[in-house]
Amino acid sequence: MENPTGPDEAARLWKVNRTVHELVRDRGFQVSDEEIEMDLATFKQLYANSGGSVDRTQINFFTNHKNNPSDHIFIFFSEEKSVGVKTMRKLVTIMEEKSITRGIIIFPGNMTPSARKVIVAMSQQYQLEEFSESDLLVNITRHTLVPQHQKLTNEEKKTLLEKYRLKETQLPRIQLADPVARYYGLKRGNVVKIIRPSETSGRYASYRICF
């Protein structure tokens, strides 16, 4: 396992930074091609010191949704290896100052149970998600064995259920903790369209509901 604060830290964070920018863009938020296509040398030049360490506060960023400019998301890289309540308070303070209600925290090690309780306690005001850096070293949705997933809008979900005369409980399920569900930020009740290649028809679609 790579050491998150060792000599390969810059290369590790370069991969994580690229994946989280892809994740945000795949959710419909604005991200430039330059951010995703940035090579390791440029990343090191911008964010790493002479010893190869990266100041994580410099790679925090926020952006807005393409279809709703008032919908912002804040990406916060924790400097604390084991995230506790102190770091969560810091994140919430920044989001409060920027009037942002949606955030993702990325950490080098793990998250304490107390910190996770903050996410639950603040869920009425803030939509907070958490990923370890290890979760984002590779983009799982780019793997050849992972089919294309598309999150349906509420209207598309309604149309689907009416067209096939289905109840939500009749749809196959995808778990909330599924890595792909986490990547797209699915919530309970969300439906995804899964597109797979087909030898006969070129491709076919199936649907799953998050629970």
Side-chain angles (χ1 to χ4, degrees):
M1 182 177 177
E2 293 179 65
N3 182 350
T5 57
D8 296 324
E9 180 186 31
R12 177 187 179 90
L13 283 172
W14 167 64
K15 295 174 184 177
V16 173
N17 186 63
R18 179 179 59 195
T19 299
V20 77
H21 276 84
E22 290 172 339
L23 177 153
V24 169
R25 186 163 71 175
D26 287 344
R27 294 187 185 188
F29 290 86
Q30 297 197 62
V31 172
S32 68
D33 291 337
E34 288 78 10
E35 290 287 351
I36 291 175
E37 295 168 2
M38 183 187 302
D39 59 26
L40 177 57
T42 303
F43 182 83
K44 284 183 175 180
Q45 184 179 4
L46 290 173
Y47 304 117
N49 61 24
S50 57
S53 294
V54 175
D55 180 357
R56 284 169 168 78
T57 62
Q58 295 300 307
I59 53 177
N60 295 341
F61 70 96
F62 65 93
T63 184
N64 59 284
H65 200 280
K66 289 183 290 188
N67 299 328
N68 182 8
S70 64
D71 183 9
H72 292 82
I73 189 168
F74 178 55
I75 311 303
F76 178 80
F77 285 80
S78 171
E79 298 173 274
E80 190 176 31
K81 186 175 180 180
S82 180
V83 175
V85 174
K86 181 180 177 181
T87 295
M88 294 304 298
R89 285 176 178 162
K90 181 179 179 181
L91 168 60
V92 171
T93 298
I94 295 172
M95 292 176 65
E96 189 175 23
E97 290 173 350
K98 295 181 179 295
S99 299
I100 296 175
T101 58
R102 192 192 301 266
I104 294 176
I105 181 170
I106 301 168
F107 45 86
N110 52 51
M111 178 173 278
T112 65
S114 297
R116 285 201 167 91
K117 287 180 181 178
V118 173
I119 294 179
V120 176
M122 302 297 291
S123 60
Q124 294 297 319
Q125 297 170 268
Y126 299 100
Q127 298 177 44
L128 299 174
E129 300 171 59
E130 45 97 357
F131 290 88
S132 71
E133 290 176 5
S134 297
D135 292 332
L136 301 172
L137 281 173
V138 295
N139 187 333
I140 56 168
T141 68
R142 303 297 192 264
H143 194 286
T144 54
L145 296 179
V146 177
Q148 181 183 355
H149 288 63
Q150 295 177 355
K151 178 183 172 183
L152 300 190
T153 64
N154 290 335
E155 191 61 36
E156 289 170 336
K157 173 184 172 181
K158 181 182 177 183
T159 300
L160 171 73
L161 295 176
E162 289 176 350
K163 179 179 179 181
Y164 295 104
R165 298 180 181 179
L166 293 171
K167 296 179 180 179
E168 287 190 7
T169 53
Q170 293 176 293
L171 287 172
R173 295 178 172 184
I174 182 172
Q175 293 186 8
L176 196 63
D178 184 282
V180 174
R182 293 186 67 217
Y183 180 90
Y184 287 105
L186 299 184
K187 299 176 184 176
R188 296 186 193 280
N190 287 160
V191 173
V192 284
K193 179 180 182 179
I194 303 172
I195 302 170
R196 292 182 171 88
S198 167
E199 293 182 2
T200 55
S201 59
R203 62 180 190 170
Y204 73 95
S206 60
Y207 299 87
R208 290 191 179 186
I209 189 167
C210 186
F211 77 105

